[in-house]
Amino acid sequence: MTAAPQSKPLADPDAKAAPSIVPALRNAFAAALVAFGLCFPIISYHAESNINNELVLVSRWPLSLGIAAVVFLFFFFRQVSPPDWRVWFDRVGAVAAGGMGGALAESAAEGEGTAAPSKARTRFSEWFGPFALGVVILFPLIMLGLLGPNGSLKWINNYGIQIMIYVMLGWGLNIVVGLAGLLDLGYVAFYAVGAYSYALLSTTLGLSFWICLPLAGILAAMWGVILGFPVLRLRGDYLAIVTLAFGEIIRLVLINWVDFTNGYAGISGIPHVTFFGIPFNDEDNGFSAIFHLPFSPIYRTIFLFYLILALALLTNFITLRLRRLPIGRAWEALREDEIACRSLGINTTNTKLTAFALGAMFGGFAGSFFAVRQGFVSPESFTFMESATILAIVVLGGMGSQLGVAIAAAVMIGAPELMRELDWMKKIFGEDFDPTQYRMLLFGAAMVVMMIWKPRGLVSTRSPSIFLKERKAVSGDLVKEGHG
Amino acid sequence: MDNFLQQLINGLTLGSIYGLIAIGYTMVYGIIGMVNFAHGDLFMLSAFIALILFMILTQILHLGSLPIAFFVVLVGAMALTGLWNWTIERLAYRPLRGSFRLAPLISAIGMSIFLSNFVQVVQGPRNKPAPQLPNHVFNLTDGLGGAKGAYSVTLSVRQILIMVVTTVLLAAFWYLVQHTSLGRAQRACEQDRKMAALLGIDVDATISITFIIGAALAAVAGVMFVMYYGVVNFADGFVPGVKAFTAAVLGGIGSLPGAVLGGLLIGLIEVFWSSYFTTDYKDVAAFMILAITLIFMPSGILGRPEVEKV
């Protein structure tokens, strides 16, 4: 990549001046002082409970002084180095702050640029989509071939299925946020409705997954309309906060209505998925026995993977087709200009409600898949953090871009999972060092860094739904975000 | 009646804390139109800073006088939290200014995750019990010869302290915004940032100061929170943060008296609901009232209605 001034999270406005030692020292000293101030009570002292459950302070001065020293050196060398190098300093700083997430994102989206789309890029994205799809379809088989049935279980389950759930949720939310431009911070409510629909219908009425799946979607869509109806008049941040409130209300009701949902304890013993009626167990009528295979839990996992893949692709296919229908065009028109939309006779009420309902429906499908995969649901899984993560996936992917959402989901969900694999770092930093506790810390920092690095998302081009003569990708900057 | 009075006192105390946090939301929203999701976690961080400062004063420096310690902790926490928010604005929000609306929102959500996990990593995941302070409790029903046994209305020194400090700081802050050149610059930036810049106002500095003031008031709330509840945890930022944001929206986002009013209302609703109905659904009640208010009064209680120009 060229040294274009894309992101300068640490840049000073007066950084253009010729490098000289004294101002550099002064600047670096100021930065180190700020760093020290930030560290002063919270890092320098650790408040620990002793045996009598009283707090005592344990001092950790070397750590905070070390941080201040690193900041000093970083700013000093950044200031005295030639201007060309500063970009690299910023980049190193950003990656150091954003950790793995930022680095992975950089490599994952190397082919996409923020500049106007060139022919080569367009060809790249045309080629990349089907290629990625092929890799994803073959993923369980490749893993099975490489690692065997036991070794591959973790990779297919923790990475494959987990990422695909978020890809599907991202695509579902993309209808509401990316296409219709309605900012929804409570999307996880519909995910919860889907999960609890399947959990309750299957444990109380004994319905099978294949009957519950559409029912869960319909119920979630109904809730989408119920929650969407009162907020039709709201716009922008007011819409965001009310959807957040609705999401929290649904979670709180799930916690407190103990007779119906079993509260915090959740619902366990949810029936597992079957291969269209054939259970995945080691009995005579089980999947392994019927297909004359040695019994292994891997078959169910692989089946679940293809199930969520099919559901996600269904979401994608329906979204892409809907974009070309009048309703899809109405969504995008609503996002671009609501008043013009209304002046041209588009029924904005119906348009908004269908966006909410369809987005919610896919959330409901994903939810019931979540329930059948876990075999257990509890309100803990449906916190605001989930909504925020899904929204972050949609925004980071570049709102409205299907491929971008998929890449963002892989990065955002895959990178924190990869952080669990860092046990080798214990050899360097000693046995007490636990890399997994920095997982969410780096996740948050990576979100900030990626946003600064690419505010318009990883995929910065959009393909228009209608075009004259030939399809040309347009820059994402031209697409409005809607008023909500 | 006694119960009503008691709940009124409790509700006003809780409402003061929400109101102080809500000001940070409403000011930042007013000046750059951004929902600062990290504000709740900043409040939690300030509570930790206050706790550690207090322990440094009493355990390491062996300071005997509690009022002095309280004052030093309050000022120190305000300054350090202000520094934190200044840095956060500089690193995470300023590069995104002028970018599209959702970019700073996501950046703020990332910052919120970062802050709560940062505190978890550096201070550990357990609850931190604050040292017990002497807390004299006045019984208001004593002199009246009233209600035997069933209820007595009490008012503790801490509750008085919380309400007094909140009122004094709000008055000082109100003066700052309404009657100083800094406040004038800030209100100008709120109305029209470009015009303010043309008229020679340093917009960047004004925005930085707004973040610092918001953080300082959140730090006051943090000090009060530790003092009132006596325990703090790294995850304690989210719920008060969301409720304070609710308060800001309820009062009309962008309006300072609205934020305080909204905070007090949310505090009162929560306390009265818990007292007269059930504690289980107190948060549901707060959120329902938020939704109902916004649906029928979309710009909050004291907010200006948004007029769209075509």
Side-chain angles (χ1 to χ4, degrees), chain A residues 315-328:
Chain A
T315 312
N316 183 31
F317 179 72
I318 292 179
T319 310
L320 289 180
R321 302 302 287 192
L322 279 174
R323 271 189 74 185
R324 298 190 199 171
L325 287 177
I327 184 67

Side-chain angles (χ1 to χ4, degrees), chain A residues 141-163:
Chain A
L141 304 177
I142 297 171
M143 280 297 159
L144 200 61
L146 285 178
L147 299 165
N150 292 326
S152 61
L153 189 63
K154 181 185 81 183
W155 288 91
I156 298 172
N157 198 17
N158 294 5
Y159 293 85
I161 296 180
Q162 192 71 11
I163 290 173

Side-chain angles (χ1 to χ4, degrees), chain A residues 10 38 42 45-47 55 60 230 233 235 237 241-242 256 384-385 399 440-441 444 451-452 455 481, chain B residues 29 35 59 84 91 99-103 107 110 113 117-118 122-123 128-129 238 245 280 288 294-295 308:
Chain A
L10 301 165
L38 297 182
I42 197 94
Y45 288 100
H46 177 65
L55 281 190
R60 282 188 303 206
R233 289 171 59 200
R235 300 161 70 92
D237 298 281
I241 182 74
V242 174
N256 289 311
F384 170 69
M385 225 49 254
M399 297 196 312
M440 291 312 285
L441 182 79
M451 218 58 243
I452 291 167
E481 63 200 290
Chain B
Y29 188 87
V35 180
Q59 289 187 3
W84 265 98
L91 294 182
S99 179
F100 82 133
R101 190 174 50 116
L102 284 179
S107 184
I113 299 174
N117 283 282
F118 169 74
V122 297
Q123 293 293 336
K128 301 284 172 205
F238 177 68
F245 184 36
D280 291 350
M288 281 308 282
L294 284 184
I295 289 159
E308 193 176 357

Side-chain angles (χ1 to χ4, degrees), chain A residues 19-43:
Chain A
S20 60
I21 300 296
V22 179
L25 271 177
R26 206 189 303 138
N27 249 332
F29 185 71
L33 207 63
V34 168
F36 181 72
L38 297 182
C39 293
F40 164 54
I42 197 94
I43 292 185

Side-chain angles (χ1 to χ4, degrees), chain B:
Chain B
M1 187 60 199
D2 286 348
N3 185 32
F4 177 81
L5 267 181
Q6 182 67 63
Q7 299 308 334
L8 190 68
I9 293 171
N10 293 349
L12 287 177
T13 316
L14 187 63
S16 308
I17 295 181
Y18 288 154
L20 282 170
I21 311 175
I23 289 178
Y25 278 111
T26 218
M27 278 173 68
V28 166
Y29 188 87
I31 202 160
I32 52 173
M34 164 198 159
V35 180
N36 184 4
F37 256 102
H39 199 68
D41 295 279
L42 196 77
F43 153 76
M44 176 274 304
L45 180 77
S46 77
F48 267 88
I49 290 177
L51 180 64
I52 293 170
L53 280 180
F54 181 77
M55 291 175 65
I56 293 175
L57 286 178
T58 51
Q59 289 187 3
I60 295 177
L61 303 175
H62 299 292
L63 191 73
S65 158
L66 272 182
I68 294 178
F70 174 75
F71 184 75
V72 173
V73 165
L74 193 65
V75 172
M78 284 168 79
L80 289 173
T81 315
L83 185 67
W84 265 98
N85 215 18
W86 177 81
T87 316
I88 290 171
E89 194 268 334
R90 194 70 196 263
L91 294 182
Y93 307 150
R94 192 178 291 183
L96 289 171
R97 201 176 298 154
S99 179
F100 82 133
R101 190 174 50 116
L102 284 179
L105 181 79
I106 299 295
S107 184
I109 290 174
M111 212 50 189
S112 155
I113 299 174
F114 175 83
L115 283 179
S116 62
N117 283 282
F118 169 74
V119 173
Q120 186 191 5
V121 166
V122 297
Q123 293 293 336
R126 291 219 201 122
N127 276 344
K128 301 284 172 205
Q132 283 300 310
L133 297 176
N135 183 28
H136 190 267
V137 178
F138 300 104
N139 196 332
L140 298 183
T141 41
D142 269 356
L144 305 170
K148 278 183 190 159
Y151 283 114
S152 57
V153 181
T154 60
L155 179 65
S156 66
V157 175
R158 278 181 214 165
Q159 287 177 320
I160 298 174
L161 195 62
I162 288 176
M163 286 188 247
V164 168
V165 170
T166 307
T167 317
V168 169
L169 279 170
L170 283 181
F173 172 70
W174 181 247
Y175 179 82
L176 183 79
V177 171
Q178 291 295 327
H179 296 282
T180 61
S181 59
L182 173 67
R184 207 177 308 127
Q186 209 212 332
R187 279 178 289 142
C189 289
E190 218 176 296
Q191 279 183 6
D192 190 335
R193 224 189 304 158
K194 208 177 273 175
M195 193 66 210
L198 282 174
L199 293 174
I201 293 172
D202 188 344
V203 177
D204 277 348
T206 312
I207 291 174
S208 285
I209 288 169
T210 306
F211 272 86
I212 292 171
I213 294 174
L217 290 176
V220 177
V223 174
M224 304 298 173
F225 181 86
V226 177
M227 206 172 66
Y228 192 56
Y229 290 101
V231 63
V232 63
N233 181 278
F234 76 96
D236 276 344
F238 177 68
V239 173
V242 170
K243 288 214 188 114
F245 184 36
T246 305
V249 175
L250 188 62
I253 202 157
S255 150
L256 295 176
V260 180
L261 183 69
L264 291 178
L265 276 176
I266 294 280
L268 288 172
I269 289 166
E270 202 181 311
V271 165
F272 277 110
W273 188 280
S274 316
S275 164
Y276 288 102
F277 301 103
T278 156
T279 21
D280 291 350
Y281 288 98
K282 64 177 171 137
D283 294 353
V284 175
F287 289 134
M288 281 308 282
I289 285 173
L290 166 84
I292 292 167
T293 318
L294 284 184
I295 289 159
F296 292 106
M297 221 190 317
S299 45
I301 299 172
L302 297 178
R304 279 183 297 257
E306 199 179 316
V307 181
E308 193 176 357
K309 292 173 193 143
V310 185

Side-chain angles (χ1 to χ4, degrees), chain A residues 112-382:
Chain A
E112 307 288 331
T114 42
S118 66
K119 265 250 164 72
R121 286 235 170 78
T122 318
R123 211 176 297 138
F124 173 81
S125 52
E126 270 170 21
W127 162 86
F128 185 74
F131 174 75
L133 179 65
V135 170
V136 170
I137 289 176
L138 293 176
F139 175 75
L141 304 177
I142 297 171
M143 280 297 159
L144 200 61
L146 285 178
L147 299 165
N150 292 326
S152 61
L153 189 63
K154 181 185 81 183
W155 288 91
I156 298 172
N157 198 17
N158 294 5
Y159 293 85
I161 296 180
Q162 192 71 11
I163 290 173
M164 285 316 293
I165 289 180
Y166 281 90
V167 169
M168 174 156 181
L169 287 170
W171 279 341
L173 184 61
N174 199 14
I175 296 177
V176 185
V177 179
L179 294 185
L182 304 162
L183 181 52
D184 186 349
L185 285 178
Y187 189 66
V188 78
F190 308 122
Y191 188 41
V193 168
Y196 271 85
S197 301
Y198 174 61
L200 289 169
L201 287 173
S202 66
T203 49
T204 54
L205 300 180
L207 296 179
S208 86
F209 176 71
W210 298 105
I211 297 171
C212 290
L213 183 71
L215 283 180
I218 291 168
L219 283 171
M222 254 172 56
W223 275 100
V225 174
I226 291 171
L227 298 188
F229 201 74
V231 300
L232 284 171
R233 289 171 59 200
L234 300 176
R235 300 161 70 92
D237 298 281
Y238 290 110
L239 179 77
I241 182 74
V242 174
T243 49
L244 189 158
F246 281 149
E248 284 294 293
I249 287 174
I250 289 208
R251 189 175 66 88
L252 291 166
V253 169
L254 289 178
I255 290 173
N256 289 311
W257 194 0
V258 180
D259 300 340
F260 185 58
T261 63
N262 206 16
Y264 270 118
I267 300 172
S268 52
I270 301 169
H272 280 299
V273 72
T274 56
F275 186 74
F276 305 104
I278 305 169
F280 288 95
N281 55 20
D282 54 357
E283 286 161 23
D284 285 345
N285 58 352
F287 180 83
S288 316
I290 288 177
F291 289 89
H292 304 291
L293 293 163
F295 174 73
S296 163
I298 192 79
Y299 301 125
R300 177 164 66 213
T301 311
I302 292 179
F303 181 67
L304 283 174
F305 179 84
Y306 283 116
L307 180 61
I308 186 66
L309 181 64
L311 284 172
L313 289 179
L314 183 76
T315 312
N316 183 31
F317 179 72
I318 292 179
T319 310
L320 289 180
R321 302 302 287 192
L322 279 174
R323 271 189 74 185
R324 298 190 199 171
L325 287 177
I327 184 67
R329 292 187 196 169
W331 287 338
E332 294 196 77
L334 189 70
R335 177 191 67 202
E336 297 296 317
D337 194 332
E338 185 172 342
I339 291 177
C341 224
R342 212 176 279 168
S343 319
L344 290 170
I346 290 173
N347 184 339
T348 51
T349 308
N350 286 354
T351 312
K352 284 183 181 179
L353 284 182
T354 46
F356 270 118
L358 276 165
M361 186 182 78
F362 292 120
F365 287 153
S368 70
F369 175 82
F370 174 80
V372 79
R373 175 207 175 200
Q374 304 287 92
F376 169 73
V377 288
S378 82
E380 294 289 296
S381 314
F382 308 106

Side-chain angles (χ1 to χ4, degrees), chain A residues 404-422:
Chain A
V405 170
I407 295 176
V411 172
M412 297 275 291
I413 305 301
E417 283 297 320
L418 273 179
M419 292 277 297
R420 292 184 197 275
E421 311 289 319
L422 295 177

